[in-house]
């Protein structure tokens, strides 16, 4: 892997997909609906799922026909400040499938509650209101359980410029606080924004402010990720985490992201 911690103007990075060819054959021979069960299919439409399975099957075929069980992949930083695989590599496979075909003892090292925690860090850094976000970060698990919500439900609402009104007081307060802070965060952190990406979102996005603020969060998320994947073996980088078959001390990862109070 190329060592490169620079975040603002990142050069392409190289990682190596590692996989068990025999297990790839097992997945390739599954019926589409059976393979779909190992994905997050409930989050997507029938059309999206069909297209996804088609791409997974095509990629599995290429893995099976490859001369070895290792393929070099190039990753590039996108306009939103996350790194993505060029082509269609293991990064796009669902975690259940990855856990099956990756080398033995592989696991995902994942940042906990990264988006809200990084937002909280930035709000404090710029002296923005953060009472409700801090309350959510400190009590997330209990709040979600009490109201039968998923963490992705909160992220979806956070990433909307005009979220629907909520009948849950803490959630309404949280969304109001975050939306009031969005234009301020954009002005304070505008050097983290990709100008071309910003212009595109101005033309195409119904949630322009939220998209740009997300890209600011992703800048810092990637900064944390780069520290980790440049120190430890990474087979597949996954936005707010990475997959590896190296045994890593979680406290060491926590130390890498302590500035943002992000835990792994």
């Amino acid at each position: 892997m190329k060592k490169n911690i620079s975040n603002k103007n990142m050069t392409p990075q190289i990682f190596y997909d590692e996989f068990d060819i025999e297990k790839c054959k097992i997945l390739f021979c599954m019926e589409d609906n059976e393979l779909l069960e190992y994905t997050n299919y409930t989050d997507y439409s029938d059309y999206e799922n069909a297209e996804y399975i088609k791409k997974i099957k095509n990629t599995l075929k290429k893995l099976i026909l490859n001369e070895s069980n290792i393929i070099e992949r190039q990753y590039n930083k996108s306009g939103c400040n996350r790194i993505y695989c060029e082509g269609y590599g293991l990064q796009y496979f669902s975690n259940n499938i990855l856990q099956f075909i990756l080398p033995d003892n592989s696991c995902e090292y994942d940042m906990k509650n990264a988006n809200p925690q990084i937002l909280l860090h930035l709000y404090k850094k710029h002296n923005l209101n953060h009472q409700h976000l801090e309350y959510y970060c400190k009590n997330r698990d209990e709040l979600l359980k009490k109201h039968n919500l998923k963490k992705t439900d909160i992220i979806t609402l956070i990433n909307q410029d005009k979220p629907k009104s909520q009948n849950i007081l803490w959630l309404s307060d949280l969304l109001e606080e975050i939306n009031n802070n969005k234009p301020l965060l954009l002005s304070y952190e505008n050097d983290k924004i990709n100008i071309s990406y910003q212009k595109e979102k101005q033309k195409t996005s119904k949630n322009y402010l939220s998209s740009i603020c997300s890209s600011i969060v992703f800048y810092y998320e990637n900064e944390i990720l780069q520290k980790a994947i440049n120190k430890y073996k990474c087979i597949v980088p996954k936005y707010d985490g990475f997959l590896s078959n190296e045994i890593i001390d979680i406290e060491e990862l926590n130390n890498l992201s302590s500035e943002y109070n992000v835990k792994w």
Side-chain angles (χ1 to χ4, degrees):
M1 180 192 71
K2 292 181 180 177
K3 299 293 180 183
N4 180 10
I5 286 187
S6 173
N7 189 9
K8 185 126 189 225
N9 298 297
M10 286 181 63
T11 57
Q13 293 177 282
I14 301 298
F15 296 93
Y16 295 89
D17 283 357
E18 298 180 37
F19 47 91
D20 185 316
I21 293 177
E22 293 305 313
K23 290 182 177 178
C24 288
K25 291 178 181 178
I26 292 172
L27 295 176
F28 183 75
C29 292
M30 284 183 175
E31 296 292 335
D32 289 358
N33 60 341
E34 184 181 4
L35 185 57
L36 190 63
E37 293 290 327
Y38 295 94
T39 72
N40 302 323
Y41 68 95
T42 56
D43 295 336
Y44 302 96
S45 68
D46 290 344
Y47 174 78
E48 290 171 323
N49 284 324
E51 290 297 303
Y52 180 67
I53 291 299
K54 186 186 300 182
K55 289 180 179 179
I56 292 291
K57 284 288 188 76
N58 286 337
T59 305
L60 285 170
K61 182 179 180 179
K62 293 177 182 178
L63 299 182
I64 293 166
L65 296 175
N66 195 56
E67 293 181 353
S68 73
N69 67 328
I70 298 176
I71 296 180
E72 179 180 297
R73 301 289 191 190
Q74 178 173 305
Y75 285 74
N76 302 299
K77 187 177 180 183
S78 71
C80 75
N81 288 324
R82 280 181 159 176
I83 60 172
Y84 291 94
C85 176
E86 195 173 273
Y88 206 88
L90 294 186
Q91 187 188 42
Y92 301 105
F93 281 33
S94 67
N95 282 345
N96 286 335
I97 294 176
L98 279 176
Q99 294 289 353
F100 183 64
I101 65 174
L102 285 178
D104 291 343
N105 302 317
S106 296
C107 67
E108 182 176 17
Y109 294 94
D110 186 51
M111 301 176 211
K112 291 182 180 177
N113 202 30
N115 188 308
Q117 285 293 164
I118 292 170
L119 267 185
L120 181 58
H121 166 80
L122 294 174
Y123 288 178
K124 290 181 176 180
K125 173 184 174 182
H126 297 298
N127 296 313
L128 301 178
N129 292 330
H130 59 267
Q131 173 189 351
H132 300 295
L133 180 57
E134 188 163 38
Y135 175 75
Y136 171 72
C137 288
K138 287 182 176 179
N139 302 281
R140 184 187 70 156
D141 291 345
E142 294 83 355
L143 292 171
L144 295 180
K145 183 178 180 180
K146 181 178 179 180
H147 297 280
N148 195 30
L149 293 167
K150 298 180 292 186
K151 59 185 180 181
T152 52
D153 294 330
I154 307 302
I155 298 301
T156 298
L157 289 169
I158 286 175
N159 288 331
Q160 294 174 3
D161 287 358
K162 297 179 180 180
K164 294 180 180 179
S165 59
Q166 304 295 313
N167 294 322
I168 304 170
L169 180 59
W170 65 263
L171 184 52
S172 293
D173 290 341
L174 172 66
L175 295 175
E176 181 178 4
E177 181 176 85
I178 288 175
N179 276 324
N180 288 341
N181 284 342
K182 283 175 182 176
L184 298 171
L185 185 64
L186 190 156
S187 65
Y188 288 131
E189 294 283 339
N190 58 30
D191 61 323
K192 308 301 187 300
I193 300 168
N194 180 294
I195 301 302
S196 297
Y197 179 78
Q198 184 176 20
K199 289 179 178 179
E200 176 195 341
K201 290 300 176 183
Q202 281 177 322
K203 294 178 181 178
T204 63
S205 179
K206 296 179 181 178
N207 296 292
Y208 164 71
L209 269 180
S210 301
S211 297
I212 300 306
C213 287
S214 288
S215 77
I216 293 169
V217 170
F218 293 161
Y219 177 91
Y220 290 98
E221 175 191 82
N222 187 53
E223 189 171 82
I224 297 170
L225 179 64
Q226 291 299 318
K227 290 180 181 180
I229 62 181
N230 279 279
K231 185 173 183 179
Y232 304 106
K233 178 181 178 180
C234 170
I235 301 175
V236 184
K238 291 277 279 189
Y239 322 123
D240 62 348
F242 63 102
L243 289 112
S244 174
N245 60 344
E246 179 181 352
I247 298 174
I248 303 171
D249 187 335
I250 295 299
E251 283 308 311
E252 290 184 12
L253 288 172
N254 289 341
N255 288 335
L256 292 180
S257 54
S258 60
E259 177 184 353
Y260 308 97
N261 198 30
V262 170
K263 303 291 185 182
W264 292 73

